[in-house]
């Protein structure tokens, strides 16, 4: 596949990096000229994926999180968030709305939000080894959204 | 993240501002709980006007607050909600549990 641009970020699973990760993703996504709504969707989905690594993958320790940002052909943004943490026993069950192992402070809506705010969500996990969450979204550029499609 | 309060009789308004994510949620919840314990309102308005970002950690805060208001036999309304937090609240179906009003376009 022809990757037009790619950035790889690696950071420790500290909660202050949630804000860093979604801002970094928004800056990368800005190259595709997204609308405000699309930027909001991207930041929200990244926040969910990164928070899951911090809260669920490494519940009692600080581990490594990587986030790969790619610009694919046809205005597609791809974001992959990976950890080497606890992993998920049953991914299909974890993806259901309201399912959580996190108690009072979680809502169980993270995967549901990633799925509905992005066009595509793929979750791969190996218990004891880690989890990889890949999301894709086709960006309708602001110009297109306004109706004057740029000739490309 | 910051919480400012206005109280009149048993009607309390809490103005939330900044980003409500997992990093901020515990502190936001503690501040809301402290205000509820101090004033025991029968009507609570959470004003989202100054919230610049919210993810599903904010949903847990809202649900928790809703439970606390039920314990006080009171009512919760969420007002002034900007587009991004509104979309997150709607994705979680919060509109079925409590009243939501959007921030009017400026
Ligand atoms: N990176 C991860 N590592 C381990 N478990 C995870 C990870 N992401 C999600 N999970 C599991 O999937 C469940 C659902 O996740 P999510 O939909 O984001 O809801 P929440 O984070 O509110 O629990 C979590 O409670 C957890 O059990
Ligand atoms: Mg989550």
């Amino acid at each position: 596949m022809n990757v037009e641009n790619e950035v790889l970020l690696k950071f420790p699973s500290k909660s202050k990096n949630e804000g860093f990760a979604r801002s970094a993703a928004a800056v990368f996504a800005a190259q595709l000229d997204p609308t405000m709504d699309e930027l909001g969707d991207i930041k929200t989905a990244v926040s969910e994926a990164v928070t899951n690594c911090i809260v669920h993958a490494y519940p009692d320790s600080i581990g490594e999180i990587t986030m790969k940002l790619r610009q694919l052909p046809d205005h597609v943004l791809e974001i992959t968030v990976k950890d080497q943490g606890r992993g998920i026993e049953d991914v299909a069950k974890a993806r259901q709305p309201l399912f959580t192992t996190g108690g009072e402070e979680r809502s169980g809506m993270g995967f549901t939000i990633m799925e509905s705010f992005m066009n595509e969500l793929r979750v791969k996990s190996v218990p004891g080894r880690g989890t990889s969450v890949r999301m894709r979204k086709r960006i309708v550029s602001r110009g297109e959204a306004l109706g004057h499609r740029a000739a490309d | 993240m910051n919480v400012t309060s206005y109280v009149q009789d048993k009607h309390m308004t809490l103005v939330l501002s900044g980003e409500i994510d997992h990093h901020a949620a515990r502190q936001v919840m503690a501040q809301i709980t402290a205000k509820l314990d101090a004033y025991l309102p029968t009507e609570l308005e959470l004003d989202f006007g100054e919230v610049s970002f919210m993810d599903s950690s904010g949903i847990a805060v809202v649900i928790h607050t809703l439970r606390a208001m039920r314990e006080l036999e009171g009512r919760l309304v969420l007002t002034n909600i900007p587009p991004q937090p509104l979309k997150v609240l709607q994705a979680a179906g919060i509109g079925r549990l409590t009243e939501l009003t959007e921030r009017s376009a400026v």
Side-chain angles (χ1 to χ4, degrees), chain B residues 68-85:
Chain B
M69 285 310 293
R70 281 186 187 149
E71 254 169 56
L72 294 174
E73 294 176 10
R75 216 166 73 88
L76 172 70
V77 293
L78 312 186
T79 58
N80 245 337
I81 314 169
Q84 188 275 333

Side-chain angles (χ1 to χ4, degrees), chain A residues 15 18 41 44 47-48 104, chain B residues 22-23 55-56 64 84 87:
Chain A
S15 64
E18 293 157 10
D41 291 351
T44 313
S47 202
E48 297 299 342
E104 281 273 279
Chain B
H22 154 258
H23 181 64
D55 66 16
S56 73
H64 208 86
Q84 188 275 333
K87 196 168 173 186

Side-chain angles (χ1 to χ4, degrees), chain A residues 3-4 9-11 13 24 44 54 58 65 70 72 86 90 100 112 130 133 146 150:
Chain A
V3 178
E4 296 180 17
L9 294 162
K10 189 168 87 178
F11 50 91
S13 60
T44 313
I54 293 169
Y58 305 114
I65 301 172
R70 300 211 291 179
L72 305 181
R86 204 167 53 174
D90 184 342
T100 182
T112 305
V133 170
L146 287 171

Side-chain angles (χ1 to χ4, degrees), chain B residues 83-101:
Chain B
Q84 188 275 333
L86 183 68
K87 196 168 173 186
V88 172
L89 289 162
Q90 284 172 338
I94 298 294
R96 290 193 294 272
L97 303 175
T98 188
E99 193 183 313
L100 308 179
T101 47

Side-chain angles (χ1 to χ4, degrees), chain A residues 44-54 65 81 83 110 114 133 135:
Chain A
T44 313
V46 166
S47 202
E48 297 299 342
V50 170
T51 299
N52 279 352
C53 301
I54 293 169
I65 301 172
V81 176
D83 65 67
M114 289 182 244
V133 170
M135 305 178 277

